[in-house]
Amino acid sequence: MGAQVHTYLMSEDARGQANFYMESLGGEIQFLTTFGETPGIPDAMKDKVMHLALTVASTNTLMMSDSFERVSYNRNICLALNYDDESEARTAYAKLSEGGESKYPLALQPWGAYYGEVVDKFGITWMITKQ
């Protein structure tokens, strides 16, 4: 018996963040439900995302929800994308950098792989590698 770890992001704009990742990495929303489907939710929250699952960069699942409080991120957790193709890695790096911050340029490293790091416009740190 085992378990799987899934990435679940709390967001101030889950729909916008999901759309950015789909445009940057390719993918599609698999499931979306709002808080409006729950009885007793105030009108201001009805359109907020309770649960969203999307597939990005081929077969990777990200899950998201709108937060009821301000969201802040730090470098304690990063998302790592490993590519087989250098041009795909460069495209993902460039697109995720739009509106964000390039921390380390995608470049050949002494260990023989390409590596770069970017903080996207939502504050998520991505480590991009091409083996």
Side-chain angles (χ1 to χ4, degrees), residues 94-107:
K95 288 183 175 183
L96 288 170
S97 297
E98 292 173 8
E101 179 186 357
S102 174
K103 298 294 279 181
Y104 303 106
L106 186 65

Side-chain angles (χ1 to χ4, degrees), residues 66-123:
D66 281 318
S67 177
F68 286 99
E69 55 192 47
R70 182 155 170 71
V71 175
S72 64
Y73 298 104
N74 59 43
R75 288 194 32 88
N76 288 341
I77 296 177
C78 303
L79 301 182
L81 282 172
N82 299 306
Y83 286 93
D84 294 326
D85 181 82
E86 182 182 344
S87 68
E88 288 180 9
R90 290 193 181 283
T91 298
Y93 183 91
K95 288 183 175 183
L96 288 170
S97 297
E98 292 173 8
E101 179 186 357
S102 174
K103 298 294 279 181
Y104 303 106
L106 186 65
L108 186 60
Q109 301 299 316
W111 62 85
Y114 284 84
Y115 175 82
E117 196 171 302
V118 61
V119 178
D120 72 29
K121 66 183 179 180
F122 295 96

Side-chain angles (χ1 to χ4, degrees), residues 5 10 12 16 48 58 68 76 81 94 102 131:
V5 173
M10 300 307 292
E12 293 178 20
K48 294 289 188 179
S58 296
F68 286 99
N76 288 341
L81 282 172
S102 174
Q131 294 297 332

